[in-house]
Amino acid sequence: MSDPLLTGSEPTRVRFSFEVFPARSQAAALALGHAVQHLAAAEPDFISVTYGASGSNRDASLELLKYLRGATEVLPMAHLTTVGQTREQLRAEILGMMDAGIHDFLALRGDAPRGVEEDDPLVAGSLSAAELIPLIAEVRAERPPLTSVGRTAIAVYPNGHPQSRSRAADIDWLIAKQEAGAQLGITQLFFYAEEYLVFVEEARRAGLTMPVLPGLMPVSTSAQLRRVASLAGRPAPPGLERALEAAGGTAPELGVAHTVELARELLAGGAPSIHLYTFNRHEQVLAVLRELGLLAFDPLA
Ligand code: FAD
């Protein structure tokens, strides 16, 4: 079956997707349910759910994925990390997700738990994303997907992997993941279109063929901007930083405007689609899509 997201065979409308994370309290879960309903109503290609990030509960990820599967029409994508898990535990985890109707995965090694160093055997001994990809394929072959395409995505780092020694090493790792069976890339956050466009162009010259979705987040506060800068591994744009501070540290409209401009440059430069980190809120990401004219159906209209 041809998959429009992977082949780009349906170029009529630029597509988009979202990332959410499991709620950490009952009140947050209620707010998330509300946000997810709005996000799903915008008809994204998929909504991905983080796993074990920042010490969050893995069971909560599965619950949220099941909610997406059962209470919305949207395709759920499960982030899956290997840190601290044996191959057998991972196999059981993948089977459990497939039994819950989840067939799309973002294969990751995952973050080191708080206070644990990268060279600790718990982290260094974990399967890499490149090793997880064939394990997912193995389990998938045992359980043919009945309700969904079953894609395997990976993380892409336009400004370098956290352990990267060089740009060449980043591209080698990326190609190794493609050779292991990855079909789709989703990038880490970044601030400038050329960071994505130049990296993808270099990777294409080295043999990258998979689509790479730029990951974007409309920040609302100075604290979020600092967090994004730390993930991007680059300083935040000084103009945006100053404008947020001048607005008292909170100004969602500034993050929306920056993301819209960035998305325009990326799409004009050939990005196939955009992946929006929602921070579990729907208002800003829907405002971005509305401004870009990408909403066929506007859940807030
Ligand atoms: P891998 O590519 O498997 O890398 C792991 C190891 O491989 C490294 O420690 C290193 O030994 C080696 N390596 C890889 N690349 C290089 C390189 N260029 N040079 C030298 N050595 C290298 N984390 C979570 O815990 N949960 C999540 O849900 C989550 N979701 C994410 C979603 C996206 C889109 C992105 C971009 C990141 C996400 N992360 C998440 C963070 C991610 O797990 C961390 O960045 C982690 O440090 C690396 O994971 P990976 O899958 O890219 O690892």
Side-chain angles (χ1 to χ4, degrees), residues 27-39:
L30 280 176
L32 177 58
H34 178 71
V36 157
Q37 286 298 338
H38 282 90
L39 295 171

Side-chain angles (χ1 to χ4, degrees), residues 55-233:
S56 74
N57 185 336
R58 286 170 175 163
D59 293 342
S61 296
L62 184 55
E63 285 312 308
L64 179 51
L65 288 159
K66 283 183 183 166
Y67 177 77
L68 285 170
R69 176 46 85 221
T72 75
E73 296 291 313
V74 83
L75 185 74
M77 177 183 283
H79 294 204
L80 186 59
T81 65
T82 67
V83 167
Q85 301 211 74
T86 64
R87 183 176 279 274
E88 279 320 301
Q89 285 168 327
L90 283 165
R91 169 181 281 281
E93 195 84 5
I94 300 164
L95 280 174
M97 287 192 180
M98 287 188 181
D99 286 346
I102 317 299
H103 301 287
D104 293 70
F105 294 94
L106 176 61
L108 299 149
R109 198 286 313 275
D111 287 322
R114 209 161 281 164
V116 178
E117 295 300 323
E118 280 289 332
D119 57 2
D120 187 290
L122 179 80
V123 180
S126 302
L127 294 191
S128 69
E131 291 167 314
L132 177 59
I133 294 163
L135 183 60
I136 293 171
E138 213 177 285
V139 180
R140 198 178 266 145
E142 289 167 25
R143 304 269 167 114
L146 301 173
T147 54
S148 136
V149 179
R151 305 179 185 111
T152 304
I154 51 156
V156 175
Y157 301 86
N159 288 325
H161 187 276
Q163 270 83 60
S164 170
R165 287 176 303 274
S166 66
R167 169 65 68 112
D170 279 323
I171 291 177
D172 286 350
W173 274 99
L174 185 51
I175 301 290
K177 291 180 190 178
Q178 176 172 281
E179 282 168 1
Q183 300 155 296
L184 180 67
I186 303 179
T187 76
Q188 183 54 281
L189 292 161
F190 58 92
F191 291 114
Y192 299 102
E194 61 269 27
E195 293 169 337
Y196 166 95
L197 296 171
V198 170
F199 180 81
V200 171
E201 172 57 28
E202 280 183 37
R204 294 254 177 268
R205 272 191 257 122
L208 186 79
T209 53
M210 73 174 93
V212 177
L213 314 186
L216 309 178
M217 181 171 133
V219 296
S220 296
T221 66
S222 298
Q224 282 177 359
L225 188 65
R226 283 193 290 276
R227 173 81 186 124
V228 174
S230 132
L231 288 168

